[in-house]
Amino acid sequence: MRILEVLQARLAIALAQFPLDVQSYASQIRPTNNAKFGDYQANCAMPLKAVLNEPPHQIAERIVAALQVRDLCEPPEIAGPGFINLRLRDDWICEATIAMLNDDRLGVPDPPNSRTILIDFSSPNVAKPMHVGHIRSTVIGDALANVFRFLGHRVITDNHLGDWGTQFGMIIYGYKHFVDESAFSQSPVQELVRLYRLVNSLVDYHAAIAALPDAQETADQAAVAAEQAERAARDAEVAQPERRKRKQAAQTAKRKSLAARETLEGLQQKIAQIDIDPAMQTLAASHSKIAGDVLRETAKLHEGDRENLGLWQKFLPHCSDEINRIYDRLNVRFDHTLGESFYQPMLGDVVQRLVDEGLATESEGAICVFLEGFDAPLIVRKKDGAFLYATTDLATLLYRNEHFRPDEILYVVDSRQSDHFDKLFALAPQVGLGHLRLVHVQFGTVLGPDGKPLKTRSGNNANLETLLDDAVTAAMEAVCEPERSAKLQPPLTDAERQQIANVIGHGAIKYADLSHHRTSDYRFSLKKMVALEGNTVAYLEYAYARIQGIFRAGETTEAEIAANATRLEINHDAERELAISLLRFSEALQQMAEDYAPNALVDYLYDTARRYMVFNDNCPILKAPDSATKDSRLALAAVTAKVLRAGLRILGIEVVPRM
Ligand code: ARG
């Protein structure tokens, strides 16, 4: 049952006596964060004052007189100017909580209208090493798939691999010119990564050399401008507000100058990386047109050139192995993996259809769709005949609609692609897909300690696999140190410690990612992520293991408790607080699903674990004063274990029985 929904429905009935849009006022009821104001509080009487022209207290009285909540609440109280405070009845709480014990859906009702939701997530560009940016899409997408499934919807997951882009031009070029055959046959993935990096650095090198003069000039000018602005701001003769204005201008100019310097230094670094090594320098000199050549290799692949297509087919399985290893480690699966290449045969028809229907027109040789409200058109075919990312996405959309018949499609993709999706979504109704709900579930960037996009020690974009290894090592140090492990009875074995480190290490990366609102950038700090204190996965796992420890000490199991429990009793505030939190599980899932925001569930689980700890500290379980209290507390702990386990599983995280 969703308490909030029930209360809103009851409030709506009570509000029906007034001539107004009942729903918007009925939704003005919230869980409180202070028991003093009840467990839920409705504050619609205040805004109604203006509508009904009555004192809010009087309105609140009329609402309360009509409000039928006796079955689950104490008599409502009116506080302050007209707040309606609702306190759940203890006997109702006890009954509802104990019912969760033998309910695998943990009080979550079946959806009134089950939808088919297709989730496009992870979708890395293969043929280059997967980096930390991909973790966000993978982890958020997986959690969303899990929550919608748990809520009773039909979910289809599809990994839209970037398996047809320029990165293949890079490794094809690399293979043709630089391959070490024996290295390739021994460890193809490693060799492909090496080739990718090599070609990429040569392309970057020449691009940096070409960009250097302009960057130098920009940096010089910005430095001069900053100096002038600084001098102007220091002029003591000038009075306010001009002085303040100048100060601000100086700050802006300084920022610009720093940014220009940084760009310049970035270029210089790329050049130095090659120049420092005579062999690389020679290589760079003999491949001076590499950027154009790489594009030509890609174009040849797309045109169906036999040799390049053969190489692509040779590389692809190795690229898949590489990403599948990561998915195995993260325990993420997909129903479908239909990459960009799958849609290539359909692209010509898609463009033709747009032209036939008068949606696309030629502009400077390219085929474009001009959409209302957008400055730039959506280009679906370039002048040279090449199709684009948008063309593939449109073909994908049409295919998905036909084959999977979804009601809704979620694209879990970096917020930097929002313009692309805005245009795609604007076009959809014009090609007969107006019935689809299309959502760009966007997310921000993972930052390093310096506040810039995260890099690894080697300076590359943080490689995902080393990152996972580091997390497991950090977890081992933080939660499995020998002293701690020895305290457990029996002491943890090495295998158990490794298992715990794996769960906490991988879990920490997922949990930290999901604990931030997805649209915000966040700073990556392994140390904080694996810590036992704070809003971390280790804290939750510890709470869970503690519960299991109590069951072991009491020589009982969750199943046994569930089979025997008959009633719950509330003797202490901590029991009540914990039980109410458990009853809100369903609400937390609902909130996560509504906003596509896993952090809603993370916050909920953390809060629940904290309440469990307070309960644990205040209410002896095995040493309870009598057996009825003991049974009741065991039951409460068992429901907590169930909720923590189910919640973590939705986040894609396993639990450990001991730590
Ligand atoms: N491969 C793309 C990238 O890594 C993401 C694809 C997202 N999905 C889509 N249908 N466009 O940038």
Side-chain angles (χ1 to χ4, degrees):
M1 170 197 243
R2 282 191 194 115
I3 307 170
L4 187 60
E5 257 171 37
V6 171
L7 292 178
Q8 279 172 348
R10 305 282 179 90
L11 187 59
I13 298 172
L15 286 167
Q17 61 180 306
F18 305 112
L20 41 88
D21 166 24
V22 165
Q23 269 324 317
S24 66
Y25 292 97
S27 62
Q28 293 178 25
I29 180 167
R30 303 249 172 302
T32 64
N33 37 25
N34 188 337
K36 211 165 74 190
F37 308 120
D39 302 313
Y40 289 82
Q41 185 175 66
N43 42 22
C44 51
M46 275 65 73
L48 277 175
K49 176 187 167 194
V51 187
L52 301 171
N53 228 336
E54 255 179 73
H57 205 278
Q58 200 172 309
I59 299 173
E61 277 166 19
R62 288 174 64 187
I63 297 173
V64 165
L67 189 59
Q68 300 279 355
V69 287
R70 218 175 318 150
D71 51 335
L72 69 160
C73 295
E74 305 281 352
E77 276 172 16
I78 301 171
F83 294 107
I84 303 171
N85 296 346
L86 300 170
R87 186 178 155 90
L88 295 168
R89 276 170 37 183
D90 285 2
D91 57 340
W92 183 84
I93 295 174
C94 289
E95 243 170 71
T97 309
I98 200 103
M100 289 173 79
L101 204 48
N102 284 300
D103 173 11
D104 282 338
R105 297 198 38 78
L106 290 166
V108 176
D110 288 330
N113 42 4
S114 165
R115 287 172 289 156
T116 298
I117 304 170
L118 191 144
I119 310 184
D120 174 326
F121 75 102
S122 196
S123 311
N125 294 332
V126 298
K128 34 182 176 185
M130 212 167 168
H131 66 80
V132 64
H134 295 118
I135 190 96
R136 298 215 73 180
S137 176
T138 309
V139 167
I140 296 170
D142 186 48
L144 291 177
N146 294 336
V147 82
F148 283 111
R149 282 202 180 108
F150 196 102
L151 287 173
H153 296 286
R154 178 168 167 250
V155 172
I156 301 168
T157 55
D158 184 15
N159 187 359
H160 188 73
L161 287 187
D163 58 0
W164 196 243
T166 30
Q167 75 275 21
F168 277 98
M170 291 211 182
I171 52 175
I172 289 174
Y173 185 94
Y175 191 86
K176 286 182 179 174
H177 294 89
F178 313 120
V179 73
D180 174 343
E181 280 294 358
S182 80
F184 184 79
S185 58
Q186 242 174 37
S187 166
V189 173
Q190 247 174 28
E191 178 61 3
L192 288 179
V193 168
R194 184 188 75 86
L195 292 174
Y196 175 81
R197 291 209 168 119
L198 174 61
V199 173
N200 201 27
S201 68
L202 294 176
V203 170
D204 277 357
Y205 174 76
H206 288 295
I209 289 184
L212 198 60
D214 274 355
Q216 182 75 58
E217 198 179 315
T218 310
D220 291 348
Q221 281 170 356
V224 172
E227 213 179 280
Q228 278 170 350
E230 171 67 27
R231 220 175 306 126
R234 271 205 307 263
D235 190 340
E237 314 269 280
V238 181
Q240 298 290 22
E242 175 62 17
R243 226 187 131 114
R244 200 171 325 120
K245 248 200 230 154
R246 288 191 182 188
K247 249 198 175 139
Q248 267 167 7
Q251 271 167 6
T252 312
K254 188 170 173 193
R255 228 178 302 129
K256 272 195 189 151
S257 167
L258 284 176
R261 173 121 321 258
E262 226 170 81
T263 310
L264 178 67
E265 283 170 2
L267 295 176
Q268 286 166 336
Q269 235 174 42
K270 281 190 175 139
I271 297 169
Q273 259 167 22
I274 301 281
D275 281 348
I276 202 167
D277 180 345
M280 284 297 281
Q281 222 178 8
T282 318
L283 216 55
S286 50
H287 292 266
S288 59
K289 298 200 181 58
I290 188 165
D293 291 343
V294 162
L295 287 182
R296 261 184 295 284
E297 295 294 4
T298 314
K300 269 166 72 184
L301 169 68
H302 291 178
E303 285 153 15
D305 173 84
R306 289 262 301 272
E307 186 188 6
N308 283 13
L309 209 53
L311 286 174
W312 178 78
Q313 277 157 351
K314 178 172 171 155
F315 299 154
L316 202 58
H318 302 304
C319 300
S320 301
D321 285 353
E322 168 78 0
I323 59 170
N324 286 338
R325 225 184 31 248
I326 303 266
Y327 293 141
D328 278 348
R329 279 187 77 164
L330 292 176
N331 200 11
V332 172
R333 305 270 169 281
F334 301 90
D335 298 324
H336 302 277
T337 297
L338 298 174
E340 292 179 8
S341 64
F342 175 78
Y343 299 97
Q344 293 316 299
M346 309 169 203
L347 301 188
D349 287 350
V350 167
V351 172
Q352 193 55 49
R353 173 176 167 187
L354 294 175
V355 173
D356 290 347
E357 291 180 11
L359 294 167
T361 45
E362 199 188 307
S363 167
E364 295 171 34
I367 310 279
C368 304
V369 182
F370 290 89
L371 294 158
E372 219 175 296
F374 293 92
D375 291 340
L378 184 80
I379 307 175
V380 290
R381 207 181 76 192
K382 286 201 278 191
K383 202 169 157 184
D384 62 9
F387 299 114
L388 296 97
Y389 186 49
T391 329
T392 311
D393 250 331
L394 190 56
T396 308
L397 192 50
L398 290 163
Y399 178 89
R400 284 173 175 168
N401 178 57
E402 204 177 311
H403 288 261
F404 301 122
R405 299 258 159 230
D407 299 302
E408 186 169 337
I409 303 181
L410 310 182
Y411 294 83
V412 187
V413 186
D414 196 313
S415 48
R416 279 169 290 196
Q417 294 193 23
S418 63
D419 186 59
H420 164 76
F421 287 111
D422 285 348
K423 285 179 180 160
L424 184 71
F425 297 173
L427 178 57
Q430 302 185 43
V431 291
L433 301 178
H435 59 286
L436 287 180
R437 177 164 179 199
L438 302 172
V439 186
H440 178 198
V441 178
Q442 48 185 297
F443 53 81
T445 310
V446 185
L447 307 173
D450 55 357
K452 294 191 188 142
L454 185 65
K455 309 262 173 168
T456 42
R457 290 156 287 175
S458 63
N460 287 313
N461 257 343
N463 176 302
L464 202 46
E465 204 146 34
T466 29
L467 212 69
L468 293 178
D469 292 340
D470 290 352
V472 172
T473 311
M476 184 65 108
E477 279 165 19
V479 297
C480 301
E481 80 272 37
E483 233 174 87
R484 259 184 69 85
S485 315
K487 275 198 210 132
L488 286 168
Q489 260 334 308
L492 292 176
T493 64
D494 282 352
E496 271 181 302
R497 292 172 63 221
Q498 190 56 52
Q499 160 71 359
I500 295 169
N502 280 341
V503 170
I504 305 273
H506 294 145
I509 297 230
K510 291 185 177 187
Y511 189 90
D513 198 285
L514 297 170
S515 68
H516 297 91
H517 190 275
R518 63 180 161 76
T519 54
S520 45
D521 299 344
Y522 74 89
R523 273 181 207 227
F524 189 91
S525 157
L526 267 187
K527 211 173 147 190
K528 266 199 206 150
M529 284 159 51
V530 297
L532 263 171
E533 288 305 318
N535 185 2
T536 65
V537 73
Y539 181 81
L540 264 72
E541 296 275 357
Y542 179 63
Y544 180 82
R546 207 153 157 183
I547 298 174
Q548 298 301 336
I550 291 169
F551 295 165
R552 279 190 300 272
E555 293 180 349
T556 182
T557 61
E558 237 177 272
E560 198 175 88
I561 294 168
N564 298 331
T566 47
R567 51 187 296 275
L568 213 68
E569 36 182 74
I570 289 177
N571 300 312
H572 193 287
D573 269 355
E575 291 171 318
R576 191 174 187 281
E577 294 279 297
L578 175 60
I580 289 181
S581 188
L582 297 171
L583 289 172
R584 284 187 183 152
F585 180 60
S586 175
E587 260 165 52
L589 298 192
Q590 185 68 12
Q591 203 193 337
M592 166 173 170
E594 246 160 49
D595 305 335
Y596 310 107
N599 67 307
L601 178 57
V602 169
D603 291 347
Y604 164 81
L605 290 173
Y606 178 49
D607 185 53
T608 304
R610 277 209 310 211
R611 292 187 195 207
Y612 174 78
M613 292 300 201
V614 175
F615 159 75
N616 194 84
D617 291 345
N618 287 284
C619 306
I621 300 179
L622 297 177
K623 293 197 179 118
D626 53 71
S627 76
T629 311
K630 176 181 160 189
D631 288 348
S632 166
R633 287 179 180 168
L634 279 172
L636 201 51
V639 179
T640 309
K642 273 176 84 109
V643 163
L644 291 179
R645 191 169 56 232
L648 282 169
R649 197 159 283 163
I650 287 173
L651 301 178
I653 301 170
E654 290 305 312
V655 286
V656 288
R658 302 208 300 152
M659 68 178 260

